Amino acid sequence: MTGSGERAYAFAKACGAIGKSFVGKGISRLSSVTRLTELDRLVFPRKTRDLPERELLVDLERRITGRAVKQIAAMVRSFSNPPELLLRLVRSYEYGDIKSALSAITGAEAKKPEFTDLGDFGTVNFKAFPDLAAMVTDTEFAFLLEEDIHAGKDGILLQTKLDRRYYTLLWNSLFSLPGKDRAAIEKILAEEIALRNASWALRLRTYYGMSPEEIKNILVPIKTGKKHGSRGPSDTQEVPGERTLADDALASLSMALDNPSDWEKWGRTEFLNPEKPGAPWKADPRYFQNAAAQYLYRLARQFFRRNPFSLDTVSCFIKLKQFEEDLLTSVAEGLGLGLSAKDVFAMLEVEP
């Protein structure tokens, strides 16, 4: 159990960090950026690099991620005994790095990936790359040693299996917390998982031509009960009318990707790309993913200060810092392609 002093310290620390971050009103500070060197000076005023633009892009992306991880880890270390939920939120980076490692080992990536240094929060021995056994033995990723990592379409099946495992364990970790400590993050994670499922369904149909039956088997079917949050994650008994966080994705599988009328009554219509006069419509997975990301970001901002001194505040802080990381990385990549920050905002539907 976390102490009141730790909670108060974490809340004050989180508020201070968010006030200096590129979220909320802070996003507007990026609006005038048109070159990578300008972004470097803005984000790292004391540690700018004099590098050619191509090298600067790679270096800047690495430092942006390192900055986010450092701030998130410092926040979680505010607690002498961090709850499992917070540890699993930090280890989302480990799951991402495992995916990159598998892609490199199987040849889908041409070079050794950069791995995120989680310090004492890390469990995988990435220094042993590309020896998968040495990397994952005695970790929760040891199951990979029994998988055919070369099977599937571009490793997609194994990636979705990792996503399914991550979100299931993350969801389970919620219920070791008192209800007052998880009200907001439970809402956010439920929406994140449901939207992730729907996004995967769209992507797998659009880019990989997978059938509804194939997709059904790789979604994250977490049960929520008749009333959201009314049942624990270990309940397996079927309940009439019980919903799962895969329901919206499952409903979408029977809808034609190029027929907007099919989607009119779908539960997630607001995240679909709008029709344009005189142009044929087709569901766009990238638009859906961007719209979902903006919605989840707004939820995290909305709940961040709603229940001070609860673990919800720290959970929302982590989500906001990860949004900032994604935004800064997207801006850097856009600048590298000759776009401005405003161009990137328009593509991502971000309002500065």
Side-chain angles (χ1 to χ4, degrees), residues 63-246:
R63 283 185 288 141
I64 287 169
T65 296
R67 174 179 177 269
V69 170
K70 183 178 180 180
Q71 292 179 337
I72 290 170
M75 184 60 60
V76 176
R77 288 193 181 96
S78 300
F79 302 99
S80 56
N81 185 26
E84 183 186 357
L85 172 70
L86 300 184
L87 295 176
R88 292 209 166 275
L89 287 172
V90 174
R91 289 177 185 147
S92 63
Y93 290 95
E94 202 163 56
Y95 273 79
D97 284 349
I98 279 289
K99 290 180 185 179
S100 297
L102 291 172
S103 293
I105 291 170
T106 59
E109 287 186 12
K111 61 180 181 179
K112 177 183 176 180
E114 291 277 349
F115 298 122
T116 308
D117 182 8
L118 295 183
D120 54 348
F121 291 137
T123 66
V124 176
N125 179 18
F126 285 109
K127 292 180 180 179
F129 177 88
D131 185 342
L132 185 61
M135 290 167 59
V136 303
T137 296
D138 296 327
T139 75
E140 65 186 62
F141 300 100
F143 78 94
L144 292 170
L145 301 177
E146 300 177 5
E147 297 280 343
D148 180 1
I149 64 173
H150 296 275
K153 304 175 180 179
D154 299 331
I156 288 298
L157 295 180
L158 196 51
Q159 286 193 30
T160 55
K161 182 173 287 189
L162 283 164
D163 277 354
R164 184 171 184 162
R165 184 180 184 87
Y166 170 71
Y167 278 114
T168 299
L169 292 172
L170 182 63
W171 183 261
N172 288 351
S173 71
L174 275 171
F175 295 90
S176 63
L177 299 175
K180 64 181 180 180
D181 269 332
R182 68 169 195 262
I185 193 60
E186 184 176 347
K187 164 72 173 175
I188 292 170
L189 286 181
E191 289 291 87
E192 180 177 337
I193 296 167
L195 290 167
R196 183 81 171 205
N197 277 326
S199 179
W200 267 113
L202 280 175
R203 288 180 60 196
L204 295 175
R205 291 176 67 194
T206 301
Y207 301 138
Y208 296 92
M210 293 180 66
S211 69
E213 286 305 315
E214 289 176 303
I215 295 171
K216 286 177 183 178
N217 294 326
I218 57 180
L219 297 176
V220 186
I222 290 173
K223 297 175 183 177
T224 61
K226 290 182 178 180
K227 183 179 179 181
H228 177 66
S230 62
R231 291 163 56 80
S234 60
D235 292 312
T236 57
Q237 182 181 357
E238 292 294 329
V239 176
E242 184 177 45
R243 288 185 53 78
T244 80
L245 299 178

